C-alpha cells in the first residue's frame, strides 16, 4: 500500500512527497507528472478537452499509481473521485494543508488552470469546498505554512516508519 499525499494546490504535496520517498528509499510518483508525460501540459488538457476529461485521465493514472509500492503525490482535485476516496480509506494518507496567506506567493506565476483567473480567491473557494474530504481521508495532517520543508519531511518519514512497525 502506498503512502499518499493529498491537499490543496501549492500546499507542497509534490515537493514534500519526493523528499519523503527519498528518505524512505522507495519510488516516488507524482500523478500530475505522469499525466503530463502521457497527455501533455495540464493547462492544455483543460483548455483543449475540459476539466471533465482531465478528471477521467487523472482517475486512470491515480488508480494505477495506488497499486504501486511507492510514495504517491496526487493533484489537489484527485480526491473528488469517489473511487479514489474509497481506495484511500484505510491507506496512509498525509494531508498537507497551508494558509491562504502563505500560499499567495506560491501561486504567483502558477500555471495551474483553476487559479489562473483570480489567484488566492479561487484557491480559497476550491479549498473550502474540498476541505471536508481532505480531513476525512487524512491519517496525518501537516501544515506547510511556516515550517521548513525538511522538518516536515523528517516528521513524515519518522511517522511512517513508526506506523509500519
Ligand atoms: N514548507 C514548505 N513545504 C513545502 N513546499 C513549500 C514550503 N514552503 C514553500 N514551498 C513551495 O510551495 C510550492 C508548491 O509546492 P508543490 O509541491 O508543487 O505543491 P503541490 O504539489 O501541493 O501543488 C513550491 O514552490 C515549494 O517550493
Ligand atoms: O486542485 C486541482 O484541481 C488541481 C491541482 C493541480 O495539482 P497540485 O495540487 O499538485 O497543484 C493539478 O492537478 C491541476 O491543476 C488541478
Ligand atoms: Mg503537485
Amino acid at each position: 500500500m502506498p503512502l499518499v499525499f493529498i491537499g490543496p494546490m501549492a500546499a507542497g504535496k509534490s515537493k514534500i512527497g519526493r523528499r519523503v520517498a527519498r528518505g524512505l528509499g522507495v519510488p516516488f510518483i507524482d500523478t500530475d507528472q505522469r499525466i503530463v508525460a502521457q497527455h501533455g501540459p495540464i493547462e492544455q488538457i483543460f483548455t483543449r478537452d475540459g476539466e471533465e476529461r482531465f478528471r477521467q485521465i487523472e482517475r486512470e493514472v491515480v488508480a494505477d499509481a495506488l497499486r504501486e509500492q511507492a510514495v504517491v503525490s496526487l493533484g489537489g482535485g484527485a480526491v473528488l473521485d469517489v473511487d479514489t476516496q474509497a481506495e484511500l480509506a484505510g491507506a496512509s494518507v498525509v494531508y498537507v494543508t497551508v494558509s491562504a496567506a502563505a500560499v499567495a506567493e506560491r501561486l504567483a506565476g502558477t500555471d495551474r488552470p483553476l487559479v489562473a483567473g483570480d489567484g488566492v480567491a479561487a484557491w480559497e473557494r476550491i479549498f473550502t469546498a474540498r476541505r471536508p474530504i481532505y480531513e476525512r481521508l487524512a491519517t496525518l495532517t501537516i501544515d506547510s505554512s511556516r515550517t521548513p520543508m525538511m522538518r516536515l519531511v523528517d516528521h513524515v518519514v519518522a511517522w511512517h516508519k513508526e506506523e509500519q512497525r
Side-chain angles (χ1 to χ4, degrees):
M1 201 59 181
L3 173 60
V4 186
F5 283 81
I6 63 169
M9 285 174 266
K13 304 177 295 296
S14 299
K15 296 257 180 180
I16 297 169
R18 176 178 298 282
R19 287 164 176 77
V20 166
R22 202 178 296 147
L24 291 170
V26 299
F28 174 66
I29 300 168
D30 186 88
T31 54
D32 281 330
Q33 276 188 0
R34 282 205 172 169
I35 292 169
V36 171
Q38 293 170 13
H39 300 269
I42 290 174
E43 317 90 272
Q44 196 182 74
I45 303 172
F46 267 76
T47 47
R48 189 188 55 206
D49 310 316
E51 180 172 353
E52 199 178 324
R53 176 68 188 136
F54 173 77
R55 297 299 171 199
Q56 281 175 355
I57 294 168
E58 181 176 53
R59 170 57 197 154
E60 288 165 17
V61 168
V62 169
D64 284 345
L66 293 182
R67 283 193 220 79
E68 294 185 39
Q69 201 55 256
V71 172
V72 181
S73 292
L74 302 181
V79 297
L80 295 171
D81 186 280
V82 290
D83 293 324
T84 296
Q85 290 176 16
E87 286 162 13
L88 291 182
S92 291
V93 179
V94 182
Y95 165 33
V96 189
T97 188
V98 64
S99 66
V103 93
E105 65 183 40
R106 301 187 199 172
L107 292 179
T110 184
D111 50 11
R112 295 171 178 86
L114 292 177
V115 291
D118 52 351
V120 189
W123 181 89
E124 277 195 281
R125 251 192 331 270
I126 294 166
F127 186 23
T128 300
R130 294 174 182 169
R131 186 182 271 124
I133 303 176
Y134 296 137
E135 290 180 348
R136 178 160 57 78
L137 295 172
T139 53
L140 175 71
T141 300
I142 58 175
D143 187 332
S144 75
S145 307
R146 296 153 78 87
T147 310
M149 197 180 316
M150 279 322 291
R151 269 193 44 206
L152 298 171
V153 170
D154 290 346
H155 178 66
V156 176
V157 168
W159 169 82
H160 188 63
K161 283 183 175 164
E162 187 59 34
E163 184 189 44
Q164 290 204 307
R165 281 169 41 146

